[in-house]
Amino acid sequence: MNNNFYKYIFAVVVTLIFLGPIYGMIKPVSLDELVDRSDVIAIVDVLAVKNVGTLPSGNEVIANLVSINQPLMGNVAVGERLKLKTFSMEDNAVLKPKTRVLLFLHRVKDYYEVTSGIAGAWPVNDNDVISGYGSGKTIDDVEKSISRKNDSENGKKEPKKPAKTVLSI
């Protein structure tokens, strides 16, 4: 076989090696999508994190207790405590005690889960600067997205522009 054949095979193998990790990456989720999929959005203080079991797949089930610090959306109040479940699997939210996090949550039975895994858990520092998946966003950005959702649910959608008339002669 000629030398070009081996170069071609080498190029294909190298391409597959570099493209392989892309397939496993988490699908980007926009802020508006996170808001739409969530029942509760709040800045919380993480109080406790405890492993409570293992799934048949081997992933751990983790119980998290959080306290609402600043509610942004949903029927929750400052100081209210919520139970969350997270899982020890790739792209899932990992909460740490004594941290502040902006969480996008959806209700499942008598507990909450983080919406869209790691995409729905944004660490917040003492100066209200968001990091992680929400890096570059502000609390004001989140509030505006919530407002857009509320406006659309209340029938206050922006008026559509009239369609362009296509004339054919």
Side-chain angles (χ1 to χ4, degrees):
M1 296 195 185
N2 69 26
N3 214 8
N4 286 336
F5 175 77
Y6 291 111
K7 287 180 183 178
Y8 174 77
I9 295 297
F10 177 77
V12 169
V13 169
V14 168
T15 302
L16 291 174
I17 289 170
F18 284 110
L19 290 179
I22 293 172
Y23 178 77
M25 290 180 154
I26 125 174
K27 178 185 174 199
V29 180
S30 73
L31 174 55
D32 287 340
E33 287 176 294
L34 282 171
V35 169
D36 287 342
R37 296 178 189 173
S38 299
D39 298 313
V40 169
I41 301 172
I43 297 175
V44 305
D45 295 314
V46 181
L47 302 176
V49 176
K50 182 180 179 184
N51 181 337
V52 293
T54 304
L55 298 172
S57 64
N59 294 315
E60 295 173 352
V61 179
I62 301 161
N64 303 271
L65 182 64
V66 300
S67 176
I68 302 294
N69 183 303
Q70 182 180 348
L72 300 174
M73 185 183 93
N75 193 17
V76 292
V78 172
E80 185 174 344
R81 293 180 174 198
L82 301 180
K83 294 185 288 182
L84 315 178
K85 271 190 191 174
T86 56
F87 306 91
S88 65
M89 58 182 66
E90 188 177 4
D91 298 332
N92 208 326
V94 176
L95 303 180
K96 295 179 182 171
K98 298 181 182 178
T99 59
R100 270 182 50 192
V101 186
L102 171 57
L103 290 177
F104 297 81
L105 303 171
H106 63 275
R107 191 160 186 75
V108 179
K109 298 180 185 177
D110 63 338
Y111 62 92
Y112 290 90
E113 287 183 358
V114 179
T115 304
S116 298
I118 197 169
W122 300 357
V124 179
N125 72 13
D126 292 336
N127 298 321
D128 287 339
V129 175
I130 297 169
S131 60
Y133 196 89
S135 186
K137 301 279 189 221
T138 65
I139 294 168
D140 191 46
D141 293 333
V142 176
E143 289 174 333
K144 286 177 185 174
S145 181
I146 293 167
S147 179
R148 283 192 299 272
K149 175 184 179 180
N150 291 339
D151 287 349
S152 70
E153 287 177 355
N154 294 327
K156 297 179 183 175
K157 293 183 181 179
E158 293 181 33
K160 291 184 178 180
K161 294 181 181 178
K164 289 185 177 181
T165 305
V166 179
L167 298 174
S168 59
I169 300 178

